[in-house]
Amino acid sequence: MKRIIALLLCLLLAALSFASLAESDLPFPFDLPEPTPAPDAADGESIRLELNGEMVDLKFDDSPEYSSVEAGLIQASFFAYAADGVTLYELFLIFPETVQPGMIITPEYSALVNVESSVVLIQSDDVDEIYYFASIMDGGTYPTGSDFSISIDAVEESGDSVTYSGTLTAHLVALDMATGDARATLDIEGAAFRFSLGSTSQEPRHSNPMPSPTPEDMRRT
């Protein structure tokens, strides 16, 4: 289920009324890794974002539970802890497997070709989670006012793996799960990313994953 967390989130929000959506119904993260240092600049498998006034290097997670190619869609997951060692950021990029260098994936493009594309950023700590996202539904952006642009600079095949690089610009909106009102917004401007999918994938970072209903259960020591 974690492979398509971003898609599931968007579908849940569209299909269920906010008044009846319980916190335990959401696909919260679980068994999250211990704080990790910034990714090695040599491999470049990362994306750098400014989050809450802090520049954060989110490392690409190549475990198949988080990053995968499925049903013609690529899902790339990046994650990192903030300097406080408590706040966790997880970014998911979802776009068509058929992308080529020079393509720019936007809500308008996704609606035109009728292919799902989304950007989701999850900010979590010991007591709360905030889901920021921008997706395409019924030919328009969801949530209202959100937007994204995933520019593909290069697609390089090497053996059984494929490396994707490009830049992300997005205006993400977080919704109040009780009311459906906008809770917060987050802007990403020209953030360069790079990641590889294929034979280099490692073992999942969670063994026998089970969803957790509360933030306290998300973090194991």
Side-chain angles (χ1 to χ4, degrees), residues 29-50:
F30 38 81
D31 265 3
L32 297 174
E34 291 300 315
T36 181
D40 185 350
D43 63 34
E45 300 273 309
S46 62
I47 185 170
R48 169 170 282 196
L49 305 178
E50 182 175 354

Side-chain angles (χ1 to χ4, degrees), residues 5-78:
I5 182 174
L7 292 177
L8 285 176
L9 175 64
C10 295
L11 291 172
L12 278 171
L13 290 173
L16 301 176
S17 68
F18 286 93
S20 62
L21 183 59
E23 180 175 294
S24 59
D25 292 328
L26 292 173
F28 288 132
F30 38 81
D31 265 3
L32 297 174
E34 291 300 315
T36 181
D40 185 350
D43 63 34
E45 300 273 309
S46 62
I47 185 170
R48 169 170 282 196
L49 305 178
E50 182 175 354
L51 301 167
N52 295 320
E54 175 187 355
M55 294 304 300
V56 183
D57 289 301
L58 282 72
K59 181 180 177 63
F60 174 62
D61 186 345
D62 64 359
S63 62
E65 288 180 283
Y66 286 78
S67 298
S68 62
V69 180
E70 187 172 320
L73 293 176
I74 290 170
Q75 175 168 292
S77 171
F78 303 82

